[in-house]
Amino acid sequence: MKKNIIAMNASIMIGLGSILAAPSVYAESISDLEKQKESIQEKRSGVESNISDTEKKIDSLQDKQMTAEDQIAAIEAKIAESAKKIDAKNAEITQTKKEIEALKEEIKVLKERIAKRNEVLKERALSFQETGGDVNYLEVLFGSSSFGDLVDRVGAVATIAEADRDILKEHELDKKDLEEKQKAVETKLASLEVAKAELLEIQKQQKQQKQEKDALVKKLKQQTERHEDEKMGLEEEKANLAAQEKAIKSAISLEHQRLAELEAARKKAAAEAKKRAEQEAAQAAAQAASQAASQASESKKQSTSSGYSAKSNSSSSSSPASSNVSQAPAVSSGTFTRPSAGYVSSTMGERWNKQHAGIDIAASGTVPIVAAADGVVSRSYFSSSYGNVIFVTHSIGGQQWTTVYAHMNSRLASEGAVVAKGQQIGIMGNTGRSYGQHLHFELHKGAWNYSKSNAVNPLNYIPN
């Protein structure tokens, strides 16, 4: 009988030992969750630093852009000034060309006069050649009929000779004037053309400078837009990290709650076991003192009672019934289950010159979306790119995972919700940057980030 009591106490101590040992397993889980929380906090700090750096880059680019735009305004003012000068030169050139046209008419008249004089001079020269020079004058003088006539004739000859000299002198002056006018107007026109060419060259250089500044502003704007997109992505990453930190805190709280419940159960079980052992020991001692025969009978009763109690305890636990979700795939036994029914319309990899960080599962009709594993909803919102999207944070074997469910028609789980593997969280849709109804599903080994560097191929983890 004493040996039976010792054996019973030993079995109770073994059971207590197994119960007492259990919290250490969960303690490791909490430690892992705390490490994940610290890791997320560090990443958030790094993302905030990156956001600050990106904002400084944006400010610097905007300063450069403003400087370049001021320079463009100054160049445009110079171009406008050059254009005015060119217009003025064009007006002078037009006026000079009009003067040239007028001069051409003068030159035409002058040429006609010169031509007539040439004819007169030719006749004079021919007459002079035929008569030997002074014959005409002698004939005029000796052909006079009287002294008075002689005087008149001498005066006439002198007048003719003087006229010839005047014609020659006027002829030379006209030729000289013609040459000077032609030279002056040609020089003026050439000078104007040179000045205009210089102004056009200056304007060309100014326009080239403006084109260069315009190209610089365009480049600065593109860089600014790229950094602004990067900033938006980093801010989204920061928001996701904050949500994941909140989810991890929720998971830690749930783990502490479970530990508290386990500790309470352990204490209760230990107290019940101790009480039962004391009762059984007291009963055994009382029965031993009364009579040997009743001891055997009582021992048998105690054995039967112990067996019944063990059987009752062993059958007290039951597994929760899984809800059957219409059109949803069966929940698999692996770490992750398939998030929706349908066919894989696009795999992970290069697509449209960009990295496609997940897979697309397409199907028609009303298609439920389910959580790929147990976890906490870290984000549930509408994104311009993802559309209706849910992020779920998972802690599996000390490793943090993040699953993303995008382009849904509707979301059925809010931030902070604890979801079970296979639990419906939405309905397949075509929201955000989407072309046709499908689920965009991402799996990240760690936290989600803007560069999606933690993304892994879901097809390596979920059933096909």
Coordinates of all heavy atoms in Angstrom, one line a residue, residues 287-380:
Q287 N -8.0 3.3 5.9 CA -8.5 1.9 5.6 C -7.5 0.9 6.1 O -7.9 -0.2 6.5 CB -8.6 1.8 4.1 CG -9.8 2.6 3.5 CD -9.8 2.7 2.0 OE1 -8.9 2.2 1.4 NE2 -10.9 3.3 1.5
A288 N -6.2 1.2 6.1 CA -5.2 0.3 6.6 C -5.3 0.1 8.1 O -5.1 -1.0 8.6 CB -3.8 0.8 6.3
A289 N -5.7 1.1 8.8 CA -5.9 1.0 10.3 C -7.1 0.3 10.6 O -7.2 -0.3 11.7 CB -5.9 2.4 10.9
S290 N -8.2 0.3 9.8 CA -9.5 -0.3 10.2 C -9.4 -1.8 10.0 O -9.6 -2.6 10.9 CB -10.6 0.3 9.4 OG -10.5 0.0 8.0
Q291 N -9.1 -2.2 8.8 CA -9.1 -3.7 8.5 C -8.4 -4.0 7.2 O -8.5 -3.2 6.3 CB -10.5 -4.3 8.6 CG -11.5 -3.7 7.7 CD -12.9 -4.3 7.8 OE1 -13.0 -5.3 8.4 NE2 -13.8 -3.6 7.3
A292 N -7.8 -5.1 7.2 CA -7.0 -5.5 6.0 C -7.9 -5.8 4.8 O -7.6 -5.5 3.7 CB -6.2 -6.7 6.3
A293 N -9.1 -6.4 5.1 CA -10.0 -6.8 4.0 C -10.6 -5.6 3.3 O -10.7 -5.5 2.1 CB -11.1 -7.7 4.6
S294 N -11.0 -4.6 4.2 CA -11.6 -3.4 3.6 C -10.6 -2.6 2.8 O -10.8 -1.8 1.9 CB -12.3 -2.6 4.6 OG -11.3 -2.1 5.6
Q295 N -9.3 -2.8 3.3 CA -8.2 -2.0 2.6 C -8.1 -2.5 1.1 O -7.9 -1.7 0.2 CB -6.8 -2.3 3.3 CG -6.6 -1.6 4.6 CD -5.3 -1.9 5.2 OE1 -4.6 -2.8 4.7 NE2 -5.1 -1.3 6.4
A296 N -8.2 -3.8 0.9 CA -8.1 -4.3 -0.5 C -9.3 -3.8 -1.3 O -9.1 -3.4 -2.5 CB -8.1 -5.9 -0.4
S297 N -10.5 -3.8 -0.7 CA -11.7 -3.4 -1.4 C -11.6 -1.8 -1.7 O -11.9 -1.4 -2.8 CB -12.9 -3.7 -0.6 OG -14.0 -3.1 -1.2
E298 N -11.1 -1.1 -0.7 CA -11.0 0.3 -0.9 C -9.9 0.7 -1.9 O -10.1 1.6 -2.7 CB -10.6 1.0 0.5 CG -10.7 2.5 0.5 CD -12.1 3.0 0.2 OE1 -13.0 2.3 0.5 OE2 -12.2 4.2 -0.2
S299 N -8.9 -0.1 -1.9 CA -7.8 0.1 -2.9 C -8.3 -0.1 -4.3 O -8.0 0.7 -5.2 CB -6.6 -0.8 -2.6 OG -5.6 -0.7 -3.6
K300 N -9.2 -1.1 -4.5 CA -9.7 -1.4 -5.8 C -10.6 -0.2 -6.2 O -10.7 0.2 -7.4 CB -10.5 -2.7 -5.7 CG -11.1 -3.2 -7.0 CD -11.8 -4.5 -6.9 CE -12.3 -5.0 -8.3 NZ -12.9 -6.3 -8.2
K301 N -11.5 0.3 -5.2 CA -12.3 1.4 -5.6 C -11.5 2.6 -6.0 O -11.9 3.3 -6.9 CB -13.2 1.8 -4.3 CG -14.3 0.7 -4.0 CD -15.1 1.2 -2.8 CE -16.2 0.2 -2.5 NZ -16.9 0.6 -1.3
Q302 N -10.4 2.9 -5.2 CA -9.6 4.0 -5.6 C -9.0 3.9 -7.0 O -8.9 4.8 -7.7 CB -8.5 4.2 -4.5 CG -9.0 4.7 -3.2 CD -7.9 4.9 -2.2 OE1 -6.7 4.5 -2.5 NE2 -8.2 5.3 -1.0
S303 N -8.6 2.6 -7.3 CA -8.0 2.4 -8.6 C -9.0 2.7 -9.7 O -8.7 3.3 -10.7 CB -7.4 1.0 -8.7 OG -7.0 0.7 -9.9
T304 N -10.2 2.2 -9.5 CA -11.3 2.4 -10.4 C -11.6 3.9 -10.6 O -11.8 4.4 -11.7 CB -12.6 1.7 -10.0 OG1 -12.3 0.3 -9.8 CG2 -13.7 1.8 -11.0
S305 N -11.7 4.6 -9.5 CA -11.9 6.1 -9.5 C -10.8 6.8 -10.2 O -11.1 7.7 -11.0 CB -12.1 6.6 -8.0 OG -12.2 8.0 -8.0
S306 N -9.6 6.4 -10.0 CA -8.4 7.1 -10.6 C -8.5 6.9 -12.1 O -8.2 7.7 -12.9 CB -7.1 6.5 -10.0 OG -6.0 7.1 -10.7
G307 N -8.8 5.6 -12.5 CA -8.9 5.3 -13.9 C -10.0 6.1 -14.6 O -9.8 6.6 -15.7
Y308 N -11.2 6.2 -13.9 CA -12.3 7.0 -14.5 C -11.9 8.4 -14.6 O -12.2 9.1 -15.6 CB -13.5 6.8 -13.6 CG -14.6 7.7 -14.0 CD1 -15.5 7.3 -15.1 CD2 -14.9 8.9 -13.3 CE1 -16.5 8.1 -15.5 CE2 -15.9 9.7 -13.7 CZ -16.7 9.3 -14.8 OH -17.8 10.1 -15.2
S309 N -11.2 9.0 -13.6 CA -10.8 10.4 -13.6 C -9.8 10.6 -14.7 O -9.9 11.6 -15.4 CB -10.1 10.8 -12.3 OG -9.7 12.1 -12.3
A310 N -8.9 9.7 -14.9 CA -7.9 9.9 -16.0 C -8.6 9.9 -17.4 O -8.3 10.6 -18.3 CB -6.8 8.8 -15.9
K311 N -9.6 8.9 -17.5 CA -10.3 8.8 -18.8 C -11.1 10.1 -19.0 O -11.1 10.6 -20.2 CB -11.2 7.6 -18.7 CG -12.0 7.3 -20.0 CD -12.8 6.1 -19.9 CE -13.6 5.8 -21.1 NZ -14.5 4.7 -21.0
S312 N -11.7 10.6 -17.9 CA -12.5 11.8 -18.1 C -11.6 13.0 -18.5 O -12.0 13.8 -19.4 CB -13.2 12.1 -16.8 OG -13.9 13.4 -16.9
N313 N -10.4 13.1 -17.9 CA -9.5 14.2 -18.2 C -9.0 14.1 -19.6 O -8.8 15.1 -20.3 CB -8.3 14.2 -17.2 CG -8.8 14.7 -15.8 OD1 -9.8 15.4 -15.7 ND2 -8.0 14.4 -14.8
S314 N -8.7 12.9 -20.0 CA -8.1 12.7 -21.3 C -9.1 13.0 -22.4 O -8.7 13.3 -23.6 CB -7.6 11.2 -21.5 OG -8.7 10.3 -21.4
S315 N -10.4 12.9 -22.2 CA -11.3 13.1 -23.2 C -12.0 14.5 -23.2 O -12.9 14.8 -23.8 CB -12.5 12.1 -23.1 OG -13.1 12.2 -21.9
S316 N -11.4 15.4 -22.3 CA -12.0 16.7 -22.1 C -11.7 17.7 -23.2 O -12.5 18.6 -23.4 CB -11.5 17.3 -20.8 OG -10.1 17.5 -20.8
S317 N -10.6 17.5 -23.9 CA -10.2 18.5 -25.0 C -10.9 18.0 -26.3 O -11.1 16.9 -26.6 CB -8.7 18.5 -25.2 OG -8.3 17.2 -25.6
S318 N -11.2 19.0 -27.1 CA -11.8 18.7 -28.4 C -11.3 19.8 -29.4 O -11.0 20.9 -29.0 CB -13.3 18.8 -28.3 OG -13.8 20.1 -27.9
S319 N -11.2 19.4 -30.7 CA -10.7 20.3 -31.7 C -11.8 21.2 -32.2 O -12.9 20.7 -32.4 CB -10.0 19.5 -32.8 OG -11.0 18.6 -33.4
P320 N -11.5 22.4 -32.5 CA -12.6 23.3 -33.0 C -13.0 22.9 -34.4 O -12.2 22.5 -35.2 CB -11.9 24.7 -32.9 CG -10.5 24.4 -33.0 CD -10.3 23.1 -32.3
A321 N -14.3 23.0 -34.6 CA -14.7 22.7 -36.0 C -14.4 23.8 -37.0 O -14.6 25.0 -36.7 CB -16.3 22.5 -35.9
S322 N -13.9 23.4 -38.1 CA -13.5 24.4 -39.1 C -14.7 24.8 -39.9 O -15.5 23.9 -40.3 CB -12.4 23.9 -40.0 OG -12.8 22.7 -40.6
S323 N -14.9 26.1 -40.1 CA -16.0 26.5 -40.9 C -15.7 26.3 -42.4 O -14.7 26.5 -42.9 CB -16.3 28.0 -40.7 OG -15.1 28.7 -41.0
N324 N -16.7 25.8 -43.1 CA -16.6 25.6 -44.5 C -17.0 26.8 -45.3 O -18.1 27.3 -45.2 CB -17.6 24.4 -44.9 CG -17.4 24.1 -46.4 OD1 -16.4 24.3 -47.0 ND2 -18.5 23.5 -46.9
V325 N -16.0 27.4 -46.0 CA -16.2 28.6 -46.8 C -16.5 28.3 -48.2 O -15.7 27.6 -48.8 CB -14.9 29.5 -46.7 CG1 -15.2 30.8 -47.4 CG2 -14.6 29.8 -45.2
S326 N -17.6 28.8 -48.7 CA -18.0 28.5 -50.1 C -17.0 29.0 -51.1 O -16.5 30.1 -51.0 CB -19.4 29.2 -50.3 OG -19.8 29.0 -51.7
Q327 N -16.7 28.1 -52.0 CA -15.7 28.4 -53.1 C -14.3 28.6 -52.6 O -13.4 29.0 -53.4 CB -16.1 29.6 -53.9 CG -17.5 29.5 -54.6 CD -17.9 30.7 -55.5 OE1 -17.0 31.5 -55.7 NE2 -19.1 30.7 -55.9
A328 N -14.0 28.5 -51.4 CA -12.7 28.6 -50.9 C -11.9 27.3 -50.9 O -12.6 26.2 -50.7 CB -12.7 29.1 -49.4
P329 N -10.6 27.3 -51.2 CA -9.9 26.0 -51.2 C -9.8 25.4 -49.8 O -9.9 26.1 -48.8 CB -8.5 26.4 -51.8 CG -8.4 27.8 -51.4 CD -9.8 28.4 -51.5
A330 N -9.7 24.1 -49.8 CA -9.6 23.4 -48.5 C -8.3 23.9 -47.8 O -7.3 24.1 -48.4 CB -9.5 21.9 -48.7
V331 N -8.4 24.0 -46.5 CA -7.2 24.4 -45.7 C -6.2 23.3 -45.7 O -6.5 22.2 -45.3 CB -7.6 24.8 -44.2 CG1 -6.4 25.2 -43.4 CG2 -8.7 25.9 -44.3
S332 N -5.0 23.6 -46.1 CA -3.9 22.6 -46.2 C -3.2 22.4 -44.9 O -3.4 23.2 -44.0 CB -2.9 22.9 -47.3 OG -2.3 24.1 -46.9
S333 N -2.5 21.3 -44.8 CA -1.8 21.0 -43.5 C -0.4 21.7 -43.4 O 0.2 21.7 -42.4 CB -1.6 19.5 -43.4 OG -0.8 19.0 -44.5
G334 N 0.1 22.4 -44.5 CA 1.4 23.0 -44.4 C 1.4 24.3 -43.6 O 0.4 24.7 -43.0
T335 N 2.5 25.0 -43.6 CA 2.6 26.2 -42.9 C 1.6 27.3 -43.4 O 1.0 28.0 -42.7 CB 4.0 26.8 -43.0 OG1 4.9 25.8 -42.5 CG2 4.2 28.1 -42.2
F336 N 1.5 27.4 -44.8 CA 0.6 28.3 -45.4 C -0.4 27.6 -46.3 O -0.1 26.6 -46.9 CB 1.3 29.3 -46.3 CG 2.3 30.2 -45.5 CD1 3.6 29.9 -45.4 CD2 1.8 31.3 -44.8 CE1 4.5 30.7 -44.7 CE2 2.7 32.1 -44.1 CZ 4.0 31.8 -44.0
T337 N -1.7 28.0 -46.3 CA -2.7 27.5 -47.2 C -2.9 28.4 -48.3 O -2.6 29.6 -48.3 CB -4.0 27.2 -46.4 OG1 -4.8 26.4 -47.2 CG2 -4.7 28.5 -46.0
R338 N -3.6 27.9 -49.4 CA -3.9 28.7 -50.5 C -4.9 29.8 -50.2 O -5.9 29.5 -49.6 CB -4.4 27.8 -51.6 CG -4.5 28.4 -53.0 CD -5.1 27.4 -54.0 NE -5.3 28.0 -55.3 CZ -4.4 28.1 -56.3 NH1 -3.2 27.6 -56.0 NH2 -4.6 28.6 -57.4
P339 N -4.6 31.0 -50.6 CA -5.5 32.1 -50.1 C -6.8 32.2 -50.9 O -7.7 32.9 -50.4 CB -4.6 33.4 -50.3 CG -3.7 33.0 -51.4 CD -3.4 31.5 -51.3
S340 N -6.9 31.6 -52.0 CA -8.2 31.7 -52.8 C -8.2 30.6 -53.9 O -7.2 30.1 -54.2 CB -8.4 33.1 -53.4 OG -7.6 33.2 -54.6
A341 N -9.4 30.4 -54.4 CA -9.6 29.5 -55.5 C -9.2 30.2 -56.8 O -9.2 31.5 -56.8 CB -11.0 29.0 -55.6
G342 N -9.0 29.5 -57.9 CA -8.7 30.1 -59.1 C -7.4 29.6 -59.7 O -6.7 28.7 -59.1
Y343 N -7.0 30.2 -60.8 CA -5.7 29.7 -61.5 C -4.7 30.9 -61.4 O -5.0 32.0 -61.3 CB -5.9 29.4 -62.9 CG -6.3 30.5 -63.8 CD1 -5.4 31.2 -64.6 CD2 -7.6 31.0 -63.9 CE1 -5.7 32.3 -65.4 CE2 -8.0 32.0 -64.7 CZ -7.0 32.7 -65.4 OH -7.3 33.8 -66.2
V344 N -3.4 30.5 -61.4 CA -2.3 31.5 -61.3 C -2.1 32.1 -62.6 O -1.6 31.5 -63.6 CB -1.0 30.8 -60.8 CG1 0.1 31.8 -60.8 CG2 -1.2 30.2 -59.4
S345 N -2.6 33.4 -62.7 CA -2.5 34.1 -64.0 C -1.2 34.8 -64.2 O -0.8 35.1 -65.4 CB -3.7 35.1 -64.1 OG -3.6 36.0 -63.1
S346 N -0.4 35.0 -63.2 CA 0.9 35.7 -63.3 C 1.7 35.3 -62.1 O 1.3 35.2 -61.0 CB 0.7 37.2 -63.3 OG 1.9 37.9 -63.5
T347 N 3.0 34.9 -62.4 CA 3.9 34.4 -61.4 C 4.8 35.6 -60.9 O 4.8 36.7 -61.5 CB 4.8 33.3 -61.9 OG1 5.5 33.7 -63.1 CG2 3.9 32.1 -62.3
M348 N 5.6 35.3 -60.0 CA 6.6 36.3 -59.4 C 7.7 36.4 -60.4 O 8.2 35.4 -60.9 CB 7.0 35.8 -58.0 CG 8.0 36.8 -57.3 SD 8.3 36.2 -55.7 CE 9.5 37.5 -55.1
G349 N 8.2 37.6 -60.5 CA 9.4 37.9 -61.4 C 9.2 39.1 -62.2 O 8.4 40.0 -61.9
E350 N 10.0 39.3 -63.2 CA 10.1 40.5 -64.1 C 8.8 40.6 -64.9 O 8.4 39.6 -65.5 CB 11.3 40.5 -65.0 CG 11.5 41.8 -65.7 CD 12.1 42.8 -64.9 OE1 12.7 42.5 -63.8 OE2 12.1 44.0 -65.3
R351 N 8.1 41.7 -64.8 CA 6.9 42.0 -65.6 C 6.8 43.4 -65.9 O 6.8 44.3 -65.0 CB 5.7 41.5 -64.8 CG 4.4 41.4 -65.7 CD 3.2 40.9 -64.9 NE 2.7 41.9 -63.9 CZ 1.6 41.8 -63.2 NH1 0.9 40.7 -63.3 NH2 1.2 42.7 -62.4
W352 N 6.6 43.7 -67.2 CA 6.5 45.1 -67.7 C 7.6 46.0 -67.2 O 7.4 47.1 -66.7 CB 5.1 45.7 -67.2 CG 3.9 44.9 -67.6 CD1 3.8 44.2 -68.8 CD2 2.7 44.8 -66.9 NE1 2.6 43.6 -68.8 CE2 1.8 43.9 -67.7 CE3 2.2 45.3 -65.8 CZ2 0.6 43.6 -67.3 CZ3 0.9 45.0 -65.4 CH2 0.1 44.2 -66.1
N353 N 8.8 45.4 -67.3 CA 10.1 46.1 -66.9 C 10.1 46.5 -65.4 O 10.8 47.4 -65.0 CB 10.3 47.4 -67.7 CG 10.5 47.1 -69.2 OD1 11.1 46.1 -69.5 ND2 9.9 47.9 -70.1
K354 N 9.3 45.8 -64.6 CA 9.2 46.0 -63.2 C 9.2 44.6 -62.5 O 8.8 43.6 -63.1 CB 8.0 46.8 -62.7 CG 8.1 48.3 -63.2 CD 6.8 49.0 -62.8 CE 6.8 49.2 -61.3 NZ 5.6 50.0 -60.9
Q355 N 9.6 44.6 -61.2 CA 9.6 43.4 -60.4 C 8.2 43.1 -59.9 O 7.6 43.9 -59.2 CB 10.6 43.5 -59.3 CG 10.7 42.2 -58.4 CD 11.2 41.0 -59.2 OE1 11.8 41.2 -60.3 NE2 11.0 39.8 -58.7
H356 N 7.6 42.0 -60.3 CA 6.3 41.6 -59.8 C 6.5 40.7 -58.5 O 7.0 39.6 -58.6 CB 5.5 40.7 -60.8 CG 4.1 40.4 -60.5 ND1 3.6 39.2 -60.6 CD2 3.1 41.2 -60.1 CE1 2.3 39.2 -60.2 NE2 2.0 40.4 -59.9
A357 N 6.3 41.4 -57.4 CA 6.7 40.8 -56.1 C 5.8 39.7 -55.5 O 6.0 39.3 -54.4 CB 6.9 41.9 -55.1
G358 N 4.9 39.2 -56.3 CA 4.0 38.2 -55.8 C 3.4 37.4 -56.9 O 3.9 37.4 -58.0
I359 N 2.2 36.8 -56.7 CA 1.5 36.0 -57.7 C 0.1 36.6 -57.9 O -0.4 37.2 -56.9 CB 1.5 34.5 -57.4 CG1 0.7 34.2 -56.1 CG2 2.9 33.9 -57.4 CD1 0.4 32.8 -55.9
D360 N -0.5 36.4 -59.0 CA -1.9 36.7 -59.3 C -2.7 35.5 -59.4 O -2.3 34.6 -60.2 CB -2.0 37.6 -60.5 CG -1.4 38.9 -60.4 OD1 -1.1 39.3 -59.2 OD2 -1.1 39.6 -61.4
I361 N -3.8 35.4 -58.7 CA -4.7 34.3 -58.8 C -6.0 34.8 -59.3 O -6.6 35.7 -58.6 CB -4.9 33.6 -57.4 CG1 -3.6 33.1 -56.9 CG2 -5.9 32.4 -57.5 CD1 -3.7 32.5 -55.5
A362 N -6.5 34.3 -60.5 CA -7.7 34.9 -61.1 C -8.8 33.9 -61.0 O -8.6 32.7 -61.1 CB -7.4 35.3 -62.5
A363 N -10.0 34.4 -60.9 CA -11.3 33.6 -60.9 C -12.4 34.5 -61.1 O -12.3 35.7 -60.8 CB -11.4 32.8 -59.6
S364 N -13.5 34.0 -61.6 CA -14.7 34.8 -61.8 C -15.8 34.6 -60.8 O -15.7 33.6 -60.0 CB -15.3 34.5 -63.2 OG -15.7 33.1 -63.3
G365 N -16.7 35.5 -60.7 CA -17.8 35.3 -59.7 C -17.4 35.8 -58.3 O -16.4 36.6 -58.2
T366 N -18.1 35.4 -57.3 CA -17.8 35.9 -55.9 C -16.9 34.9 -55.3 O -17.2 33.7 -55.0 CB -19.1 35.9 -55.1 OG1 -20.0 36.8 -55.8 CG2 -18.9 36.4 -53.7
V367 N -15.6 35.3 -55.2 CA -14.6 34.4 -54.7 C -14.0 34.9 -53.4 O -13.5 36.0 -53.3 CB -13.4 34.3 -55.7 CG1 -12.4 33.3 -55.3 CG2 -13.9 34.0 -57.1
P368 N -14.2 34.0 -52.3 CA -13.7 34.5 -51.0 C -12.2 34.4 -50.9 O -11.5 33.6 -51.5 CB -14.3 33.5 -50.0 CG -14.6 32.3 -50.9 CD -14.9 32.7 -52.2
I369 N -11.6 35.3 -50.1 CA -10.2 35.4 -49.9 C -10.0 35.0 -48.4 O -10.7 35.5 -47.5 CB -9.6 36.8 -50.1 CG1 -9.9 37.3 -51.5 CG2 -8.1 36.8 -49.9 CD1 -9.4 36.4 -52.6
V370 N -9.0 34.1 -48.1 CA -8.8 33.6 -46.8 C -7.4 33.9 -46.3 O -6.5 34.0 -47.1 CB -9.1 32.1 -46.7 CG1 -10.6 31.8 -47.1 CG2 -8.1 31.2 -47.5
A371 N -7.2 33.9 -45.0 CA -5.9 34.1 -44.4 C -5.0 32.9 -44.7 O -5.5 31.7 -44.5 CB -6.0 34.4 -42.9
A372 N -3.8 33.1 -45.2 CA -2.9 31.9 -45.5 C -2.4 31.2 -44.3 O -1.9 30.1 -44.3 CB -1.8 32.4 -46.4
A373 N -2.4 31.9 -43.1 CA -1.9 31.3 -41.9 C -2.5 32.1 -40.7 O -3.1 33.2 -40.9 CB -0.4 31.3 -41.8
D374 N -2.4 31.6 -39.5 CA -2.8 32.3 -38.3 C -2.0 33.6 -38.2 O -0.8 33.6 -38.5 CB -2.6 31.5 -37.0 CG -3.4 30.2 -37.0 OD1 -4.4 30.1 -37.8 OD2 -3.1 29.3 -36.2
G375 N -2.6 34.7 -37.8 CA -1.9 35.9 -37.6 C -2.8 37.1 -37.1 O -3.9 36.9 -36.7
V376 N -2.2 38.3 -37.2 CA -2.9 39.5 -36.7 C -2.9 40.4 -37.9 O -1.9 40.6 -38.6 CB -2.2 40.1 -35.5 CG1 -2.9 41.4 -35.1 CG2 -2.1 39.2 -34.4
V377 N -4.1 41.0 -38.2 CA -4.2 42.0 -39.3 C -3.4 43.3 -38.9 O -3.8 43.9 -38.0 CB -5.7 42.3 -39.6 CG1 -5.8 43.4 -40.7 CG2 -6.4 41.0 -40.1
S378 N -2.4 43.5 -39.6 CA -1.6 44.7 -39.3 C -2.1 46.0 -40.0 O -2.0 47.1 -39.5 CB -0.1 44.5 -39.6 OG 0.1 44.1 -41.0
R379 N -2.6 45.8 -41.3 CA -3.2 46.9 -42.0 C -4.4 46.4 -42.8 O -4.4 45.3 -43.4 CB -2.2 47.5 -42.9 CG -1.0 48.3 -42.2 CD -0.5 49.4 -43.1 NE -1.3 50.5 -43.1 CZ -1.2 51.6 -43.9 NH1 -0.2 51.6 -44.8 NH2 -2.0 52.6 -43.9
S380 N -5.4 47.3 -42.9 CA -6.6 47.0 -43.7 C -7.1 48.4 -44.2 O -7.7 49.1 -43.4 CB -7.7 46.3 -42.9 OG -8.8 46.1 -43.6

